[in-house]
DNA sequence: GTTTGATCTGTTACCGCTATCAAAATAAAA
DNA sequence: TTTTATTTTGATAGCGGTAACAGATCAAAC
């Protein structure tokens, strides 16, 4: 195994200089830097993460809490993980996945938390290492999220553009900020165009949406657009419409939200508000690492603007 | 931070004794063990993973390679991850997720690899640390998998039990062992009951299955059972049947395979061969850790028997 | 009561890296 | 040129564990 000392010897400098080239390059002359880089490359030097962690009194570990039940877990967590993992690896950090069933012990340098419900904020506030949330909140915690409001605004406007007359929002029956933001987006656009909004809230399962749409079918005369708070709901709505022999997209438009996995499985394929979840994952990792560097300084929020992917459920 | 020394002082023993209590308890008298445990508890001692790793020349890191494209990635990888993470954490290991886009550098103590295709085995063979595969293979690598053959056998038999006359296997158009095993399971049962088997292979997308079933609809008279190699395919088959006004499950039976996520999204809900992917994840982790302990000794294979979950697509 | 052997516990020396401070080299001011 | 300030580099001492060996303890055998 190639160590710092090996590189140091080869470059005719001290260990410390090599260490500095890696961690504080601004403190080293360009001349020496060059020598050291050359030696590192020639020896194919790989720093020993454990040694670094020990010396700096760090763990080089970030914990990811996924607080939702894994059975209901959205497939997009996989993309989130990919993004986080990619960024952490670049910076020589490891990941530890924490779910309901292993609320645990070992130390870490920071946390990324997602799937929070209101009651979680209390213990989150007591965590002693930097925390970044994936998902908006109103408690002042730093977070990354998609721009929920803008996303649904886009969807609603798109429905209007495509000339659907009656536009209905199918929301998730949950008192969480992301849902409020989405509804707000819908309401704002409806207000702008002076149409009466209509919101139906159901639990986030395709069957719930399907059922409620079926039951209230007579209220949806044709030319109706359904803006849905998730692709799951959109999938359920789509099925309900199809079963009622409603024509998609001619008579009924459907727009989902998320654009990860489910939208492609649907038939016709869902028009959806797509989020780049992987990129958001990277952003979570970057933010928590920056926060660690800055000894816990607040990082604020970062919203990612989603894109509307037009497919087969809108005309 | 509480260290070994703190515990040692409190228990009036040396650091080494404490270390032994943790790593080689059989070498310590019960008397001392009790003292040490008490001290550990009272001080709430948490071992420093980095220090341990450094001293033992280990990384305490396991890398998980997911070789499939993340866009097509099955949601069940999330369950796999959960299982792996849970087990690793118990043993003070961290996880590093490696995908197409960060084929990387840093060291590790072992690998778990999944989503391999034939051409991958070459470089896998060159890895210098213990490897465990998730997914059967014929190259002698240690692996964990679901019992593909038995699963499809169960499905096929179940179709027969439910008195579907013509039973068709919808397979994945891929030259991989798991597919062969599934087909073998189907073929064996068909042979036993002296029925002519019929296999249709398509790429693993719901739309592919839907299309091919639609196109060949006249070949499926009613009283037909479709045994599918994945829930995705089953979903497509289900849609095709519904579109042709076929009655599910009265006239047409459908059984999927995997039982993670998609089966619940379908409507009617899919009868499926369910795997406990989380448990298999745990098994992967256990196996690779054992292999590390045993300096790379072969561990063989371990097949998990899946269960048939009867729902709404079989009568 | 020694001696011997086995079992248990403690001492020492690292593992590879970084913070801290001291020393050397360089630049600026006197 | 000498003095002083500044920048750059090096020596040292851990970080918290573990392996390897040395020393102590204890029981059985002489």
């Amino acid at each position: 195994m190639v160590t710092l000392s090996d590189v140091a010897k080869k470059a005719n400098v001290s260990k410390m200089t090599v260490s500095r080239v890696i961690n504080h390059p601004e403190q080293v002359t360009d001349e020496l830097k060059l020598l050291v880089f050359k030696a590192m490359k020639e020896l194919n030097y790989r720093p020993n993460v454990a040694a670094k962690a020990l010396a700096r009194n760090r763990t080089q570990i970030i914990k990811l809490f996924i607080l939702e039940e894994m059975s209901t877990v959205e497939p997009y967590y996989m993309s989130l993980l990919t993004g986080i993992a990619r960024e952490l690896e670049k910076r020589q950090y490891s990941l530890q996945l924490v779910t309901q069933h292993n609320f645990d012990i070992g130390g870490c340098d920071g946390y990324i938390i997602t799937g929070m419900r209101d009651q979680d904020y209390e213990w989150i506030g007591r965590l002693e290492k930097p925390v970044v949330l994936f998902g908006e909140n109103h408690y002042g915690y730093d977070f990354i999220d998609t721009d929920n409001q803008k996303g649904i605004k886009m969807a609603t406007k798109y429905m209007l553009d495509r000339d659907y007359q009656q536009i209905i929002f199918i929301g998730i029956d949950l008192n969480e900020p992301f849902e409020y933001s989405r509804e707000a987006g819908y309401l704002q656009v409806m207000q702008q165009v002076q149409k009466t909004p209509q919101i139906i809230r159901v639990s986030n399962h395709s069957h719930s949406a399907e059922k409620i749409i079926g039951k209230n079918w007579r209220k949806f005369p044709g030319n109706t657009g359904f803006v849905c708070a998730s692709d799951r709901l959109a999938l359920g709505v789509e099925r309900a419409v199809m079963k009622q022999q409603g024509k998609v997209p001619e008579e009924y438009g459907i727009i989902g939200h998320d654009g990860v996995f489910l939208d492609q499985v649907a038939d016709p394929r869902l028009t959806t508000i797509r989020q780049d979840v992987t990129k958001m994952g990277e952003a979570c990792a970057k933010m928590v690492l920056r926060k660690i560097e800055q000894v816990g300084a607040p990082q604020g929020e970062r919203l990612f603007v989603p894109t509307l992917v037009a497919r087969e459920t809108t005309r």
Side-chain angles (χ1 to χ4, degrees), chain A:
Chain A
M1 173 179 243
V2 184
T3 72
L4 260 196
S5 306
D6 298 330
V7 177
K9 244 173 258 169
K10 180 129 198 163
N12 266 317
V13 295
S14 72
K15 280 164 57 175
M16 253 339 275
T17 302
V18 180
S19 173
R20 283 201 187 92
V21 168
I22 296 170
N23 299 298
H24 312 283
E26 75 285 356
Q27 298 178 10
V28 182
T29 18
D30 292 349
E31 201 179 2
L32 282 194
K33 252 184 285 192
L34 239 58
L35 276 179
V36 170
F37 277 133
K38 189 157 151 282
M40 291 201 299
K41 198 167 295 172
E42 284 178 24
L43 296 173
N44 190 31
Y45 170 68
R46 301 284 162 229
N48 182 317
V49 180
K52 177 177 198 158
L54 180 58
R56 303 183 51 194
N57 193 25
R58 292 270 177 78
T59 62
Q60 303 294 118
I61 290 172
I62 299 295
K63 294 209 170 178
L64 171 64
F65 282 76
I66 296 183
L67 300 177
E68 285 182 64
E69 255 305 323
M70 281 317 255
S71 55
T72 5
V73 102
E74 300 288 342
Y76 72 57
Y77 281 145
M78 200 63 220
S79 308
L80 186 72
L81 255 163
T82 309
I84 294 175
R86 193 177 299 171
E87 186 61 31
L88 288 186
E89 179 166 325
K90 275 191 211 158
R91 308 277 299 269
Q92 301 190 276
Y93 272 80
S94 296
L95 184 64
Q96 266 181 21
L97 218 200
V98 182
T99 60
Q100 309 282 25
H101 307 288
N102 58 341
F103 255 76
D104 65 310
I105 20 170
C108 69
D109 296 341
Y111 301 92
I112 298 172
I113 305 182
T114 183
M116 311 71 69
R117 294 291 178 253
D118 215 54
Q119 68 271 18
D120 291 315
Y121 292 102
E122 198 256 326
W123 64 263
I124 291 177
R126 290 203 309 269
L127 291 174
E128 291 174 345
K129 303 280 173 171
V131 177
V132 165
L133 304 186
F134 176 59
E136 56 177 302
N137 71 91
H138 299 143
Y139 294 88
Y141 293 109
D142 303 322
F143 72 84
I144 305 283
D145 204 348
T146 184
D147 192 331
N148 286 296
Q149 184 167 325
K150 195 177 248 173
I152 294 297
K153 267 188 175 175
M154 287 167 48
T156 312
K157 277 185 192 151
Y158 191 78
M159 281 292 191
L160 290 165
D161 283 353
R162 313 313 289 165
D163 258 348
Y164 291 98
Q165 278 307 303
Q166 185 186 19
I167 297 175
I168 295 169
F169 184 76
I170 312 293
I172 299 173
D173 188 15
L174 224 44
N175 294 321
E176 296 296 334
F178 75 87
E179 175 61 20
Y180 293 140
S181 296
R182 292 182 194 174
E183 293 184 9
Y186 167 73
L187 291 171
Q188 278 181 33
V189 175
M190 293 301 274
Q191 201 155 45
Q192 268 172 34
V193 297
Q194 313 241 351
K195 289 195 172 233
T196 19
Q198 190 182 341
I199 296 184
I200 299 177
R201 295 187 189 88
V202 295
S203 70
N204 191 23
H205 297 105
S206 61
H207 292 89
S208 315
E210 180 175 351
K211 205 162 150 192
I212 206 158
I213 297 297
K215 203 186 288 178
N216 297 283
W217 184 246
R218 55 190 167 68
K219 295 187 192 156
F220 315 124
N223 214 359
T224 297
F226 296 97
V227 173
C228 307
S230 76
D231 286 337
R232 284 189 177 202
L233 294 181
L235 198 66
V237 171
E238 182 181 48
R239 274 199 310 250
V241 172
M242 306 282 279
K243 277 189 189 156
Q244 300 288 345
Q245 316 285 347
K247 293 248 179 290
V248 177
E250 296 81 1
E251 286 293 311
Y252 296 90
I254 305 167
I255 301 185
H257 188 284
D258 286 352
V260 184
F261 191 75
L262 266 187
D263 56 324
Q264 300 173 44
V265 165
D267 181 84
R269 288 178 177 84
L270 287 174
T271 293
T272 191
I273 302 297
R274 157 164 295 164
Q275 314 167 36
D276 192 337
V277 186
T278 305
K279 194 166 278 175
M280 292 195 280
E282 283 176 13
C284 286
K286 277 182 190 151
M287 190 183 267
V288 76
L289 293 183
R290 186 152 14 95
K291 196 169 178 180
I292 290 169
E293 245 172 42
Q294 300 174 7
V295 208
Q299 304 289 318
E301 58 188 70
R302 170 126 187 248
L303 294 182
F304 281 73
V305 178
T307 54
L308 189 146
V309 181
R311 283 205 280 242
E312 302 160 5
T313 58
T314 45
R315 62 194 175 202

